[in-house]
Amino acid sequence: LASYGCVPSAAVAAESQAGSYSYRLAYSGDRNYGPAQTSCRQFDVASAPSVTISSPATGRMFSLGEQVSTSFACHEGSDAPGLASCTDSGGATGGSGKLDTSTLGSHSYTVTARSGSGQTATATISYTVSAGPGVSVQRPADGARYTRGQRVTARYDCAEGPDGPGLSGCAGPVASGHAIDTMSVGSHAFTVTGTSSDGQRTTYTV
């Protein structure tokens, strides 16, 4: 009020910033209702709340069923009466929640702040849930028997899982197409590991 004084109501409509304002009521007066009168009325303009999601960062990729915690905060706007709620899309309050990683594909996570004045604000991040790579070993076959020194060529391959970012590796004891070690008698294991570029790993052993 010290800044604006008692201003005409026409000027009030132009105010778009939060703060306290006043407007003037003027009555010109007549013989039925008495002499002219002027009075001031005060009102407050509150700004909307704001939301921040500090973790995880938007655009991240997670594995199916991975446990991912979130951290968020809601902030009341200036000249507002206080926050009424601060809730994420999973119904969590208190500044922390969990991402839903139960299904593959692209997803979003949203936090909504609601002011006591009824104003709302949201913040949203996006993320992707991907499956780990697949591994297939054609040779050596599981449970196969070979003679000592027999030449057996390894055959295996890896494939990226649905919604995955791409393979970064597919490795076994020897490269696919190379001979396995049959020089020592007894039981042996042959393990192949597929790795995606987001760090997910799948192993398959015969």
Side-chain angles (χ1 to χ4, degrees):
L1 289 177
S3 299
Y4 292 92
C6 188
V7 299
S9 58
V12 171
E15 304 296 351
S16 60
Q17 296 181 343
S20 295
Y21 301 94
S22 63
Y23 64 96
R24 184 177 63 200
L25 292 173
Y27 166 60
S28 60
D30 62 30
R31 64 181 181 178
N32 295 319
Y33 297 102
Q37 300 179 38
T38 299
S39 63
C40 283
R41 297 292 184 268
Q42 181 179 343
F43 68 98
D44 295 321
V45 176
S47 61
S50 61
V51 181
T52 56
I53 300 175
S54 53
S55 66
T58 191
R60 291 279 304 278
M61 184 168 288
F62 304 100
S63 59
L64 187 66
E66 182 176 353
Q67 296 295 309
V68 183
S69 297
T70 65
S71 179
F72 59 88
C74 299
H75 313 278
E76 183 57 288
S78 59
D79 295 287
L83 286 173
S85 62
C86 181
T87 309
D88 74 357
S89 47
T93 60
S96 63
K98 299 284 186 182
L99 289 187
D100 180 6
T101 60
S102 61
T103 56
L104 298 174
S106 298
H107 302 273
S108 62
Y109 171 83
T110 299
V111 177
T112 301
R114 182 178 297 277
S115 169
S117 63
Q119 298 186 80
T120 60
T122 61
T124 300
I125 61 170
S126 61
Y127 64 99
T128 302
V129 177
S130 65
V135 177
S136 174
V137 179
Q138 297 84 43
R139 195 166 58 239
D142 194 33
R145 287 179 176 270
Y146 305 108
T147 59
R148 184 176 182 274
Q150 180 180 347
R151 181 175 176 79
V152 179
T153 303
R155 286 284 183 268
Y156 60 86
D157 54 60
C158 304
E160 183 55 284
D163 296 291
L167 285 173
S168 63
C170 182
V174 297
S176 184
H178 289 65
I180 68 173
D181 180 11
T182 60
M183 294 306 295
S184 58
V185 297
S187 298
H188 301 271
F190 188 93
T191 299
V192 177
T193 301
T195 307
S196 64
S197 59
D198 65 348
Q200 293 191 69
R201 293 188 175 189
T202 301
T203 61
Y204 185 84
T205 300
V206 298

